[in-house]
Amino acid sequence: MSESLRILITGFGPFPGAPFNPTMALVKRLTELRRPAFDDIARTSHIFDVTYAAVDRELPELLATHRPQALLMFGLAGRTGHVRIETRARNAVTTRFPDAGRQHARKGSIADGADAHMFGPHSEKLLRAARATGIDARLSRDAGSYLCNYLSWRAIEAVDRDNGLRLAQFVHVPPLAHDGTAARGMSTITLERLVDAGEAMLMELVKLTRQATLTGTH
């Protein structure tokens, strides 16, 4: 019997200005979904504290421990009313706002002399999968300059190191009310609709990762 495909699904905890982060509930639901298509998929999940130190410490540990072939990451975009499929990570980090551990970045870039890192053509395929569920999803070229962008950068670096991780994708979701209903005045998106879209994106990522694993490409 062939070895199970391994997928790591991540979210973030609360952070200043966002005491409730819906990605925690979303990641839990996606990891616990029971579908025949997931029978041979080893899904693991992780919720990062919203700190640069947590990402730098825990992402390498997760990759070494679970050896995922794909990484599906979710974060909260507090001022966006739709799902954003990020296409790149910017070489930028804010020095204005501290992380949840009250630490400020010391400079405004992640790496010296580097350009933006692209996730790859699979971003558009995940967009189509999400839209097929009826949710408002759009491509984005700006993942911000906070922890979501920082994790995206580190994830793409990990893919480029050719350590078995084939594909990575970051998805921003809109805010929700604590009970999973749509945030008032923001959008009509609920947790249930996010789970449906997340499942569709996960299914597409599984298919694409199988293809990449067979061909030995990223």
Side-chain angles (χ1 to χ4, degrees):
M1 182 178 294
S2 60
E3 188 177 8
S4 295
L5 196 69
R6 299 177 299 277
I7 308 290
L8 175 61
I9 309 170
T10 74
F12 278 108
F15 56 93
F20 172 68
N21 194 326
T23 66
M24 299 175 68
L26 176 60
V27 167
K28 184 175 188 294
R29 290 281 299 276
L30 291 178
T31 307
E32 295 177 349
L33 281 173
R34 294 293 174 257
R35 302 285 188 272
F38 295 145
D39 285 349
D40 61 343
I41 307 299
R43 285 166 291 161
T44 54
S45 64
H46 183 75
I47 301 299
F48 288 101
D49 288 337
V50 185
T51 69
Y52 301 104
V55 170
D56 284 339
R57 179 180 66 254
E58 294 169 6
L59 181 61
E61 292 175 351
L62 290 163
L63 298 180
T65 300
H66 301 292
R67 298 182 297 112
Q69 288 123 325
L71 178 56
L72 182 58
M73 304 164 285
F74 292 95
L76 171 63
R79 297 184 179 89
T80 303
H82 57 272
V83 172
R84 286 169 34 191
I85 314 294
E86 300 299 340
T87 60
R88 64 177 190 160
R90 301 166 59 236
N91 186 16
V93 59
T94 181
T95 57
R96 295 178 59 194
F97 306 108
D99 63 18
R102 300 183 179 180
Q103 297 298 309
H104 282 82
R106 295 182 179 180
K107 60 181 182 178
S109 61
I110 302 173
D112 292 335
D115 295 326
H117 287 342
M118 305 300 294
F119 277 109
H122 59 275
S123 298
E124 293 192 15
K125 297 179 180 179
L126 265 65
L127 172 70
R128 289 196 291 270
R131 282 181 169 174
T133 70
I135 207 166
D136 183 4
R138 310 173 198 178
L139 292 180
S140 167
R141 287 178 49 82
D142 187 353
S145 57
Y146 199 44
L147 266 296
C148 293
N149 182 73
Y150 188 76
L151 175 59
S152 295
W153 183 280
R154 295 304 186 202
I156 295 172
E157 281 183 335
V159 172
D160 291 342
R161 281 196 289 270
D162 195 22
N163 58 1
L165 182 64
R166 299 295 181 183
L167 297 175
Q169 181 61 56
F170 196 95
V171 178
H172 267 117
V173 304
L176 300 178
H178 282 74
D179 61 358
T181 57
R184 183 177 300 177
M186 284 297 300
S187 73
T188 60
I189 294 176
T190 64
L191 177 60
E192 295 304 320
R193 296 190 68 194
L194 282 179
V195 172
D196 288 344
E199 179 182 356
M201 288 187 284
L202 182 58
M203 293 276 287
E204 182 67 16
L205 188 63
V206 166
K207 182 180 75 173
L208 296 171
T209 305
R210 288 194 193 282
Q211 295 172 355
T213 300
L214 287 173
T215 60
T217 60
H218 292 98

